[in-house]
Amino acid sequence: MLLNPSSSSVARLALAVVTEPERATPAPVGAREEAMRLLLSTGADAGVGIVATRPEADTERLLGQAWPFPSPFRVTVRTVPLSEGIDRVEARARRSLERLGLPRGDAVLVSSAHDLAGADGRALWDRLRALKDRGLFKRIGFCATMEDGPTLLARRFQPDIVQMPCNLLDQRPVSEGVISDLAGMGVDVHISSIFARGLLFAAREHLPDHLAEHGAALSRTRRRLAEARVDPMQAALAFALGLPPVSAAIASVASAAELRAILAAAHAPRPDLDWEALALTEPAACSLSRSVRVPASRAA
């Protein structure tokens, strides 16, 4: 697997700000807003260009009150589930821009490929394309997993962006040529779950039951990294930022301190590793996993 040795900078690093209680330290409202401003200014100073958001919790409002001025960020928003109705999907996308304090966004992404695969998929896509035509979003796209068949969906809908999980443990989007195929269609590929939902950092005893059988394989991967004297975060970022077809690698962050740790790892010398040997033999387990509870500084 060829990695681009010139892409170790943060130019393609994107941020997904996390405010869940298990990641973010509880604080009064004013302190939360100040913490958000510090996080965003840290990212802006480092050259991070993309912030990826979701329509949940209070994150959009906090971001809207904390942007540096002028803001250097391109912002992507995600839709609510189609089960809430097409009108609700459109209204909530507009509401996301209002909460973010933005006249327009860089992209709106269908949050689940299942919504496009259903009977109302084309109608949903037409609604989002209308938002693009009105200038509210520059681009439209969707989020998918390998199991969703993102290449076929891209051929059908011709999105500007496809976001999908890809990481050191689950390299299928690379090894099966999906990322290259999408890039060949002119699609910008954003990869998420670059830290494998915390699996890279989780102790074996903290794995959920359905992943217990993969504990030995995870231990082998961490042992290989330890023998090479490479920190798991450094390896994960080197892998994600070193994939030439990928235009953005999304890291979830809960604080400026977490972001500084990620930035330091991203700027570390690129390790010389056998990347394919680090993947799980059954990588689909990663995509089925919910985030594993690990120390906050390691959960990004």
Side-chain angles (χ1 to χ4, degrees):
M1 182 185 303
L2 296 178
L3 297 181
N4 184 351
S6 66
S7 59
S8 59
S9 71
V10 299
R12 292 184 296 150
L13 186 66
L15 303 182
V17 179
V18 178
T19 57
E20 286 88 343
E22 63 268 21
R23 289 283 303 279
T25 303
V29 173
R32 292 176 66 204
E33 293 174 355
E34 181 57 33
M36 183 70 79
R37 279 191 286 271
L38 180 58
L39 191 162
L40 290 175
S41 65
T42 300
D45 291 344
V48 174
I50 297 175
V51 173
T53 71
R54 296 188 183 194
E56 56 190 36
D58 205 25
T59 307
E60 290 176 334
R61 185 190 64 80
L62 284 170
L63 285 167
Q65 295 175 342
W67 299 121
F69 184 81
S71 174
F73 300 112
R74 304 188 304 279
V75 179
T76 67
V77 306
R78 289 170 59 165
T79 63
V80 294
L82 182 56
S83 59
E84 298 187 19
I86 290 181
D87 290 340
R88 167 66 175 161
V89 170
E90 178 182 347
R92 189 60 180 82
R94 293 173 178 271
R95 179 61 175 156
S96 288
L97 292 179
E98 293 175 7
R99 287 170 62 85
L100 289 162
L102 301 173
R104 63 190 60 84
D106 179 64
V108 57
L109 307 179
V110 177
S111 58
S112 172
H114 292 288
D115 288 346
L116 290 177
D120 293 326
R122 177 56 66 180
L124 169 61
W125 191 254
D126 288 344
R127 285 291 186 98
L128 299 186
R129 188 164 53 191
L131 293 178
K132 176 183 175 181
D133 292 342
R134 295 187 187 107
L136 292 178
F137 296 95
K138 294 181 181 178
R139 302 185 289 173
I140 57 175
F142 60 82
C143 301
T145 66
M146 286 291 291
E147 290 73 22
D148 294 321
T151 304
L152 292 176
L153 280 175
R155 287 176 182 148
R156 179 182 175 191
F157 290 100
Q158 299 182 326
D160 301 304
I161 298 173
V162 170
Q163 179 181 311
M164 62 185 306
C166 181
N167 53 68
L168 204 59
L169 300 179
D170 185 357
Q171 302 178 22
R172 291 176 298 160
V174 181
S175 61
E176 297 183 21
V178 173
I179 289 177
S180 295
D181 289 344
L182 291 171
M185 287 186 262
V187 176
D188 271 1
V189 180
H190 293 190
I191 59 172
S192 58
S193 301
I194 63 173
F195 298 123
R197 301 176 182 268
L199 288 177
L200 275 170
F201 315 121
R204 191 167 181 174
E205 61 271 18
H206 293 157
L207 294 177
D209 292 341
H210 74 282
L211 288 175
E213 62 185 283
H214 301 286
L218 287 166
S219 294
R220 282 195 297 272
T221 294
R222 284 193 289 268
R223 185 169 62 251
R224 287 190 175 104
L225 293 176
E227 291 170 350
R229 298 183 180 180
V230 178
D231 180 81
M233 181 181 286
Q234 179 190 353
L237 286 162
F239 175 81
L241 296 173
L243 297 172
V246 169
S247 58
I250 303 170
S252 68
V253 293
S255 66
E258 278 191 13
L259 178 54
R260 285 192 291 268
I262 289 171
L263 292 170
H267 283 298
R270 180 171 300 281
D272 183 14
L273 297 170
D274 182 354
W275 301 100
E276 294 179 10
L278 298 172
L280 292 183
T281 55
E282 297 182 36
C286 293
S287 64
L288 298 175
S289 166
R290 288 180 292 181
S291 296
V292 179
R293 185 178 294 275
V294 296
S297 62
R298 288 297 202 176

